[in-house]
Amino acid sequence: MDTEESEASEEFLLPRSRLANERLRAMIPGGAHTYAKGDDQYPDDLAPVISHGRGAHVWDIDGNRYVEFGSGLRSVSLGHAHPRVIEAVRRELDRGSNFVRPSVVEVEAAERFLATVPTAEMVKFAKNGSDVTTAAVRLARAVTGRARVALCGDHPFYSVDDWFIGTTPMSAGVPAATTDLTVAFPYGDLAATEELLTRYQDEVACLILEPATHTEPPPGYLAGLRELADRHGCVLIFDEMITGFRWSEAGAQGLYGVVPDLSTFGKALGNGCAVSALAGRRDLMEWGGLRHSGDRVFLLSTTHGAETHSLAAAMAVQATYVEEGVTARLHALGERLAAGVRDAAAGMGVGDHVVVRGRASNLVFATLDENREPSQQYRTLFLRRLLAGGVLAPSFVVSGALGDADIDHTVDVVAQACAVYRKALDAGDPTPWMGGRPVKPVFRRSV
């Protein structure tokens, strides 16, 4: 066997994880509670099942340690088991976690949130992002008396609820009548958005979008959306699930200085604890309260939305971000990582094929084929080599717990992966280095 064949057949095995994944699939549809965590997102038989995590590292049940990126789908931005967050959670657990009336912790958490996000006037907490984005849409419909929702079609996810899922390839079970009420506009194109609002004159309840993603908003774009929403009488909603804390402590709205009517936060808010927030203008939010003279809106009412330990975690996270300058650290770490990965890819002759994109605090990578088109096959090869090198990276989204040694190790592993990537490009076929079926996109119509 020559050297290339030896490298192509080299095995990195996870026998205990493979068996655990079989057990997961037998009991849980898809084998995971989040589609993005499914083993179909990883190379064949190389989906590690996690035992525990600390800081920027996780260990699988086979005993392997990894440098982890994208921790908890971007939710664990301070690192796993952060001492300040754990202490806050533990303190509240000893005092009870849920009561028949609001806890004083709810007052403190609301005050802390509104101080951190001063563009909002009221806030209501829930457990996940879908709860609060759907509440925002419902509120917009109630306030405007309109049924249509206009979402940015360039952004990948908003909610598990029908108003969004009906627009995806996984629309089975969503009535067409519901899907017909959702329309899409392109990011960064004010003219196209105005054309849509004119076409559906007085029908659109809201514009909902992530204020920024892998590219910066064009100059004047967010302010232009604000003006369009005002002129057409619809509600402007910023989905700040990702941009919250990673762009600034007050989210993208705090960084770019454009104030939405409503905004939604989650992910980094609890450093892995289940907490999300709907925030916005008082006159809108009060439609779901007790100081409104019109028909009440069933805004949010969740049994576990105000669990004391999750709210305590959120307060600890916000205090840590503000006092320790975490957002700046995330940007510095991301800039160092991006530069290293780009240099490694270029050095191996694949700089046009392994591409790092996004804001430094929210990096993703693209794997492109011989024609520079996105390729799941090359993504499979790349992920396989990263895993074998002890790097768990569905993205390159950093956490504040990473150290210089972690970045250096990751860049070294990326360089090794890129060397194999170059061989596959030269061969015109990544199959020998994939180790089985390709990884799959989350949103697809068939299994």
Side-chain angles (χ1 to χ4, degrees):
M1 181 181 291
D2 65 27
T3 301
E4 288 193 18
E5 288 176 337
S6 175
E7 287 179 356
S9 62
E10 185 179 315
E11 288 296 329
F12 171 64
L13 303 176
L14 300 177
R16 292 181 179 176
S17 291
R18 180 179 59 79
L19 292 174
N21 277 313
E22 291 176 1
R23 292 165 59 198
L24 284 164
R25 289 192 299 270
M27 296 178 288
I28 301 166
H33 292 292
T34 311
Y35 283 120
K37 296 183 182 182
D39 59 3
D40 60 342
Q41 304 296 295
Y42 292 84
D44 219 5
D45 288 334
L46 286 190
V49 174
I50 304 302
S51 164
H52 63 287
R54 185 164 295 278
H57 301 114
V58 295
W59 286 258
D60 67 26
I61 59 175
D62 291 281
N64 300 297
R65 187 183 83 156
Y66 304 88
V67 180
E68 186 198 42
F69 294 88
S71 317
L73 304 182
R74 295 177 172 86
S75 67
V76 186
S77 60
L78 298 178
H80 297 289
H82 188 274
R84 188 168 184 173
V85 177
I86 292 300
E87 176 55 33
V89 169
R90 184 177 291 116
R91 183 172 59 249
E92 290 306 324
L93 285 175
D94 285 341
R95 294 159 53 90
S97 62
N98 211 335
F99 311 105
V100 76
R101 278 281 296 146
S103 162
V104 66
V105 176
E106 296 175 50
V107 179
E108 296 164 353
E111 289 174 342
R112 166 65 75 171
F113 181 91
L114 294 174
T116 305
V117 186
T119 42
E121 296 174 328
M122 297 189 82
V123 62
K124 197 158 189 180
F125 296 110
K127 301 309 288 181
N128 61 66
S130 293
D131 287 346
V132 290
T133 53
T134 292
V137 167
R138 184 184 304 116
L139 181 56
R141 282 171 160 165
V143 168
T144 62
R146 302 172 182 178
R148 288 195 189 277
V149 174
L151 57 79
C152 181
D154 296 321
H155 298 163
F157 189 79
Y158 294 96
S159 174
V160 300
D161 292 295
D162 287 0
W163 65 269
F164 170 69
I165 293 300
T167 70
T168 74
M170 294 177 68
S171 59
V174 180
T178 298
T179 303
D180 290 345
L181 292 174
T182 300
V183 294
F185 61 91
Y187 188 78
D189 191 335
L190 289 173
T193 305
E194 182 163 25
E195 190 279 327
L196 180 140
L197 290 171
T198 301
R199 188 190 330 153
Y200 296 106
Q201 188 70 41
D202 299 329
E203 294 182 29
V204 175
C206 61
L207 299 173
I208 182 170
L209 74 158
E210 295 181 66
T213 54
H214 306 318
T215 58
E216 287 291 292
Y221 174 63
L222 295 178
L225 278 183
R226 174 72 276 171
E227 190 275 330
L228 280 178
D230 290 339
R231 180 149 46 90
H232 286 268
C234 53
V235 175
L236 181 61
I237 304 170
F238 282 177
D239 179 345
E240 298 249 30
M241 291 296 150
I242 293 173
T243 52
F245 299 96
R246 287 191 177 273
W247 264 241
S248 80
E249 290 86 358
Q253 60 194 281
L255 180 65
Y256 301 122
V258 176
V259 181
D261 299 304
L262 301 172
S263 56
T264 58
F265 288 76
K267 291 192 182 291
L269 180 58
N271 201 54
C273 291
V275 60
S276 61
L278 169 64
R281 285 168 37 193
R282 179 177 302 277
D283 62 315
L284 300 186
M285 296 286 285
E286 281 286 15
W287 281 60
L290 299 175
R291 297 189 293 184
H292 173 63
S293 59
D295 291 342
R296 293 181 67 201
V297 177
F298 194 93
L299 187 59
L300 278 168
S301 182
T302 55
T303 298
H304 301 291
E307 284 175 334
T308 57
H309 54 280
S310 292
L311 295 182
M315 286 190 284
V317 167
Q318 290 166 90
T320 301
Y321 262 81
V322 172
E323 294 168 17
E324 298 183 12
V326 174
T327 302
R329 174 168 174 75
L330 294 177
H331 281 88
L333 287 166
E335 287 168 0
R336 192 169 187 273
L337 176 64
V341 170
R342 288 171 181 143
D343 287 348
M348 294 298 171
V350 297
D352 293 332
H353 302 274
V354 176
V355 181
V356 180
R357 296 171 176 161
R359 192 172 184 84
S361 60
N362 188 52
L363 296 173
V364 297
F365 59 82
T367 51
L368 309 182
D369 64 15
E370 299 87 347
N371 300 314
R372 295 182 175 83
E373 294 294 329
S375 168
Q376 294 297 106
Q377 288 77 17
Y378 279 97
R379 180 175 175 85
T380 307
L381 173 158
F382 191 62
L383 289 176
R384 189 176 189 87
R385 303 306 304 185
L386 294 185
L387 287 164
V391 176
L392 180 58
S395 69
F396 281 144
V397 176
V398 297
S399 79
L402 289 162
D404 289 346
D406 297 316
I407 302 292
D408 292 342
H409 174 72
T410 299
V411 170
D412 287 343
V413 172
V414 166
Q416 297 167 31
C418 287
V420 178
Y421 206 114
R422 182 69 258 173
K423 294 178 185 292
L425 287 170
D426 292 341
D429 180 14
T431 305
W433 290 272
M434 285 167 49
R437 54 103 182 115
V439 299
K440 299 182 179 181
V442 169
F443 284 113
R444 60 186 191 274
R445 193 166 297 277
S446 59
V447 175

